[in-house]
Amino acid sequence: MVDLGVVMPVYKQKPAFLKAAMESVLGQTFQKFKLIIVIDGAPEMEPLIRRLIQGDNRVRVVSHTFNQGVATALNTGFAQLYGMSGIQYLTWVSSDNVYYPRFLETLRNALAKGPSELGLVYSSFQSIDNEGRPLNSEQQLAIQRQYQSQRKEKLLDTSIVGVSFMYKAACAKKIDGYGNESVEDYDYWLRLTEHCEMKYIPVELMDYRVNSTFSVSAALQDTARHRKWRYAYHLARHQARMRRGISPSITVLLPLKESGVKAIERIENLYEQTFSNYTCFIIDLSADMRVTADLSTISHPSTGFKWFPHVDEVTALFHAVQMVQTKYCFVPGDLLFKDVMDLTIMHEQLEKADPKVMSNYYTHDHTDIGYRFVSTYSPKEGLHDELFRTPSLVDYLKIHYEAARGLG
């Protein structure tokens, strides 16, 4: 009895890549599966697909009359599988990757032999270029395995599941289908794992073709498309935290008088951080809301704007911080984050710090974390690029606000 269903969405694809992908799927050691190929508005691909299938009765081809995107193609394919009796396990494959012979067998066995609460399994993978050459050394693969083996909670911060996976149909039926185009898989894992546990298998089961000719990753090299992808990525995490009742941990207060290249660079740098459990308020100090008008085009699901015309930065920050409800607060300055993990590390260190520590920051050479203690001298001047406990920042700003007005 067939209990495994596989979906392959196909749009425009290089014939050689499609041939390699299909042959690797059809040649699996585990043969009892149903493959649904969804041609998503690319009728020119169908003759090649038919030749590659060679009448294989495990394969069904479905066609969209026009391109509707990966998420819709996946939903079409899985709807076909849901209509078949006996399908217990599901996965989907890309038309440009290569799947090792035991890909299906290994993932299916892990689900079948695992506890009832296990609903998603995933493995490591090798990255390859357009010519099929491996891109990761054994040392790099070891680092990747360690990264992917993080606990389930880390899925809220980054897509550790990757591109080699399988899940139970019973769990999939508890949630809506694929959506949030361009991060459809990551968004799906976040929703799926709210109903099941997941397990990592530390072995490579496939070759992932990086930046192949028609891939999403190649398209993301364009700035506008990357911003759109990044917004969807942040949105998936933001929505997951809202569903789970997880409040933001940090409020970012970014005061700006102008919206030029430097301001854009600072915002982009913030949005590229792996840490995403924050609310950001851009404090518009311009007289005509020019900052708001210009920078609102760089979308982020948890960023808002507060307009403080004709006031200085300290005054604006002093009034803005009164409304902050998060545990921590961060005021970006001229220094850019040097690593995408910087805010994560600062947050983790301050979480573990003694209560007498009011803030932390990276040292000038970025080799260490410095700390500011309550009522003691700090070698760091100012408050920018420093993660504060919010009450400490309120006290700090109050002193400087009153001093600026001769009230201290």
Side-chain angles (χ1 to χ4, degrees):
M1 182 177 179
V2 175
D3 63 5
L4 172 59
V6 183
V7 174
M8 176 187 284
V10 179
Y11 183 43
K12 297 177 180 179
Q13 188 56 266
K14 291 185 68 172
F17 292 173
L18 179 60
K19 181 175 184 293
M22 288 192 59
E23 288 180 347
S24 70
V25 173
L26 296 175
Q28 292 286 301
T29 55
F30 184 84
Q31 289 282 300
K32 295 181 180 180
F33 63 88
K34 190 70 178 181
L35 172 62
I36 309 296
I37 298 176
V38 182
I39 303 175
D40 189 26
E44 68 275 15
M45 302 303 300
E46 185 163 353
L48 173 59
I49 289 172
R50 295 290 183 186
R51 287 198 300 273
L52 293 171
I53 293 172
Q54 295 182 344
D56 194 321
N57 59 14
R58 295 173 299 170
V59 185
R60 180 185 296 179
V61 179
V62 181
S63 296
H64 288 166
T65 55
F66 61 92
N67 179 250
Q68 300 179 51
V70 174
T72 300
L74 289 173
N75 291 335
T76 295
F78 286 115
Q80 295 276 323
L81 292 171
Y82 289 150
M84 302 176 188
S85 62
I87 298 295
Q88 300 181 51
Y89 311 109
L90 302 169
T91 188
W92 67 271
V93 295
S94 295
S95 61
D96 58 352
N97 295 332
V98 178
Y99 298 86
Y100 301 172
R102 298 179 69 88
F103 167 75
L104 292 179
E105 179 183 357
T106 303
L107 295 175
R108 180 190 173 279
N109 286 347
L111 282 175
K113 296 178 181 179
S116 59
E117 63 269 19
L118 179 64
L120 168 67
V121 294
Y122 62 104
S123 80
S124 181
F125 55 92
Q126 173 65 275
S127 295
I128 60 174
D129 62 15
N130 269 1
E131 284 68 47
R133 294 174 296 212
L135 298 178
N136 292 327
S137 65
E138 182 53 43
Q139 182 180 11
Q140 290 169 319
L141 287 174
I143 294 172
Q144 177 175 286
R145 293 185 203 115
Q146 183 178 19
Y147 166 78
Q148 287 191 276
S149 65
Q150 296 179 87
R151 65 187 188 276
K152 176 183 174 181
E153 290 73 20
K154 281 295 182 180
L155 188 61
L156 263 176
D157 297 317
T158 184
S159 186
I160 57 178
V161 173
V163 293
S164 175
F165 49 80
M166 189 177 292
Y167 48 96
K168 290 179 179 176
C171 296
K173 291 176 182 178
K174 293 180 180 180
I175 64 174
D176 292 333
Y178 286 86
N180 204 349
E181 195 75 46
S182 78
V183 295
E184 56 278 319
D185 49 356
Y186 179 51
D187 173 67
Y188 196 84
W189 309 142
L190 287 170
R191 290 184 286 117
L192 187 74
T193 52
E194 290 168 6
H195 301 275
C196 67
E197 295 303 314
M198 66 186 207
K199 178 182 178 180
Y200 174 59
I201 302 172
V203 62
E204 290 71 51
L205 292 178
M206 58 165 289
D207 288 337
Y208 167 60
R209 207 178 295 273
V210 178
N211 294 334
S212 70
T213 306
F214 297 108
S215 68
V216 172
S217 54
L220 292 180
Q221 305 303 314
D222 173 81
T223 299
R225 291 182 179 179
H226 178 74
R227 285 178 177 173
K228 183 179 180 181
W229 169 86
R230 185 178 62 201
Y231 176 83
Y233 187 45
H234 282 298
L235 180 62
R237 296 185 285 184
H238 179 67
Q239 290 175 330
R241 290 191 174 98
M242 290 183 67
R243 288 193 302 270
R244 302 174 192 190
I246 300 174
S247 301
S249 182
I250 297 174
T251 297
V252 178
L253 298 175
L254 177 56
L256 293 170
K257 292 182 179 179
E258 299 177 348
S259 54
V261 173
K262 190 174 181 180
I264 293 173
E265 183 182 28
R266 192 66 188 88
I267 292 171
E268 297 272 13
N269 178 255
L270 170 66
Y271 292 172
E272 292 294 327
Q273 285 290 294
T274 57
F275 187 89
S276 64
N277 191 23
Y278 60 79
T279 296
C280 178
F281 289 107
I282 296 177
I283 300 176
D284 185 349
L285 301 176
S286 66
D288 57 358
M289 295 188 74
R290 175 52 54 190
V291 168
T292 301
D294 290 347
L295 299 184
S296 58
T297 60
I298 307 176
S299 301
H300 190 286
S302 60
T303 291
F305 292 81
K306 293 186 179 296
W307 186 37
F308 288 89
H310 310 297
V311 298
D312 60 86
E313 180 179 312
V314 171
T315 300
L317 285 172
F318 177 71
H319 289 294
V321 79
Q322 310 298 319
M323 297 177 277
V324 171
Q325 298 180 358
T326 56
K327 186 176 181 180
Y328 304 114
C329 202
F330 184 80
V331 182
D334 293 333
L335 296 177
L336 299 177
F337 292 116
K338 292 187 177 181
D339 187 273
V340 295
M341 290 290 292
D342 281 353
L343 193 54
T344 296
I345 293 171
M346 293 172 72
H347 179 260
E348 290 177 349
Q349 293 302 312
L350 198 51
E351 282 275 86
K352 296 185 294 185
D354 188 283
K356 293 180 181 179
V357 172
M358 60 185 288
S359 64
N360 68 3
Y361 52 89
Y362 272 95
T363 55
H364 182 71
D365 58 4
H366 202 264
T367 60
D368 201 3
I369 296 285
Y371 296 90
R372 189 193 297 261
F373 290 83
V374 178
S375 303
T376 60
Y377 167 77
S378 171
K380 181 180 178 299
E381 296 182 357
L383 54 77
H384 297 100
D385 307 307
E386 190 167 353
L387 185 61
F388 278 86
R389 300 187 195 274
T390 298
S392 297
L393 181 59
V394 171
D395 293 341
Y396 181 96
L397 283 166
K398 183 178 180 181
I399 293 171
H400 287 75
Y401 174 73
E402 292 178 346
R405 278 143 188 78
L407 302 175

